[in-house]
Amino acid sequence: ERLGIAHYVLDFQARFKAAVIDDFAAAYALGRTPIPCVRCNQKIKFRDLLEIARDLGAEALATGHYVRRVAGPRGPELHRAVDPAKDQSYFLFATTPAQLGFLRFPLGELDKAATRRHARRLGLEVADKPDSQDICFVPRGHYSEVVARLQPEALAPGEIFHVDGRPLGRHGGIAHYTVGQRRGLRVADGERLYVVGIEPRANWVVVGPRGAGLCAEVELDEANWLGPTVDGPIEVEVKHRYNEPAVRGRIALQPDGRARVAFTTPQPGVAPGQACVCYAGDRLLGGGWIRQAQAASMAGTAARLSA
């Protein structure tokens, strides 16, 4: 009303539930650690909403993501935001070149303090609104309530084993665990333990020392590439979790939409369901969903437990 422009309210509840909420709960039932914000960008904002923007005759779709769209020699590129504390490029790895041509990110050149100053200057009521750290459909942070409603089997009790095959205790559902987790395990073995693997079919959680969870290589599904054309493996900087620093590695793209990433130094806490995102400096090259990231120790553990 203040700007004197049309405002449309669109009902995306059914689409959002199917593409984001149901996917979120199903991932936990499979022993994975989902990222619903990426699915929302991928399936709702940059697909459904973008199509509607085109149908309305819009010239561009502008969003509040902290990421930069930079003109490159072969078209627009995605780069990290100026404010590293707010950078959201990790969550946009699935953005396609065609979508990027239509998107604009006006906040990418600003830090959050500058954004708030502009909001105050414009008299916006949300200028001092606290930052949200919660998943939008889990406002109290109790994601297990969503999982319990949609995938109750993911909260069925089961066994916790050490990587050497010893039973250590019981768990209250694999949905409460993620690979790399240290807190809240409720078992002890005289050393600091981490979740090394989750076996959803047997309903097991496997724990061990930090070194037992090291992963040297991951397989990716739904790989998306925004970088230059490559014919073979290339050196990249890799983030396998949003809150982890980038590390060195190599990515090999495959023609079937998959990819394989090898870490220069084996990494702890690499969890299936997370995104593995590749950079060259500040430029986002692409990435994919971690389909398989089994620690070397888990192969022997599976054999021992099966026996």
Side-chain angles (χ1 to χ4, degrees):
E1 291 177 353
R2 183 174 299 178
L3 293 174
I5 62 176
H7 177 72
Y8 300 90
V9 178
L10 308 171
D11 185 354
F12 276 19
Q13 290 185 81
R15 299 187 194 190
F16 186 82
K17 180 180 182 300
V20 181
I21 300 178
D22 290 350
D23 178 84
F24 175 83
Y28 273 111
L30 293 172
R32 298 175 177 269
T33 306
I35 316 176
C37 296
V38 177
R39 283 297 188 199
C40 182
N41 291 326
Q42 181 183 27
K43 302 289 188 179
I44 303 298
K45 294 177 183 174
F46 295 171
R47 185 187 67 183
D48 297 342
L49 184 59
L50 191 147
E51 288 177 2
I52 288 175
R54 290 188 188 278
D55 291 342
L56 291 172
E59 296 179 6
L61 174 64
T63 81
H65 292 95
Y66 280 85
V67 66
R68 290 182 296 147
R69 179 183 182 273
V70 176
R74 298 186 178 181
E77 302 171 355
L78 265 183
H79 288 241
R80 300 180 200 259
V82 167
D83 184 353
K86 288 296 179 183
D87 174 55
Q88 294 175 299
S89 59
Y90 176 88
F91 299 104
L92 301 183
F93 82 85
T95 307
T96 67
Q99 292 168 345
L100 186 56
F102 193 71
L103 292 166
R104 302 293 185 272
F105 306 104
L107 301 187
E109 300 287 347
L110 306 175
D111 61 24
K112 192 58 177 278
T115 302
R116 292 190 185 280
R117 286 196 298 271
H118 281 299
R120 294 189 197 99
R121 176 177 61 81
L122 295 168
L124 302 182
E125 296 179 1
V126 295
D128 296 308
K129 179 182 177 182
D131 290 352
S132 174
Q133 302 297 326
D134 294 327
I135 298 171
C136 66
F137 58 89
V138 190
R140 296 187 302 276
H142 300 154
Y143 73 87
S144 59
E145 296 176 5
V146 176
V147 178
R149 186 174 71 252
L150 298 176
Q151 298 282 346
E153 67 275 15
L155 296 177
E159 298 288 336
I160 299 178
F161 290 94
H162 193 277
V163 288
D164 63 13
R166 289 179 292 124
L168 294 181
R170 301 274 294 173
H171 66 74
I174 60 173
H176 294 299
Y177 298 85
T178 181
V179 172
Q181 178 179 335
R182 179 174 68 85
R183 299 181 184 277
L185 303 185
R186 298 181 182 179
V187 293
D189 190 48
E191 62 181 339
R192 184 170 291 178
L193 297 173
Y194 299 80
V195 175
V196 174
I198 299 172
E199 296 290 341
R201 286 175 294 184
N203 198 23
W204 294 335
V205 173
V206 180
V207 300
R210 184 176 177 83
L214 293 177
C215 179
E217 192 172 88
V218 296
E219 294 182 16
L220 309 182
D221 276 338
E222 300 180 49
N224 180 63
W225 194 247
L226 289 167
T229 303
V230 295
D231 296 324
I234 63 168
E235 300 283 341
V236 291
E237 299 165 52
V238 186
K239 284 174 69 78
H240 64 83
R241 281 182 187 264
Y242 170 66
N243 56 0
E244 292 284 342
V247 298
R248 293 175 59 194
R250 293 172 64 85
I251 184 170
L253 300 172
Q254 300 173 3
D256 60 358
R258 296 183 178 182
R260 185 177 294 271
V261 172
F263 301 109
T264 302
T265 303
Q267 296 296 304
V270 183
Q274 292 283 290
C276 189
V277 182
C278 301
Y279 296 85
D282 281 342
R283 183 182 178 183
L284 188 152
L285 298 176
W289 297 99
I290 299 175
R291 180 175 70 90
Q292 186 172 341
Q294 190 175 73
S297 63
M298 281 296 293
T301 301
R304 285 190 291 271
L305 292 176
S306 298

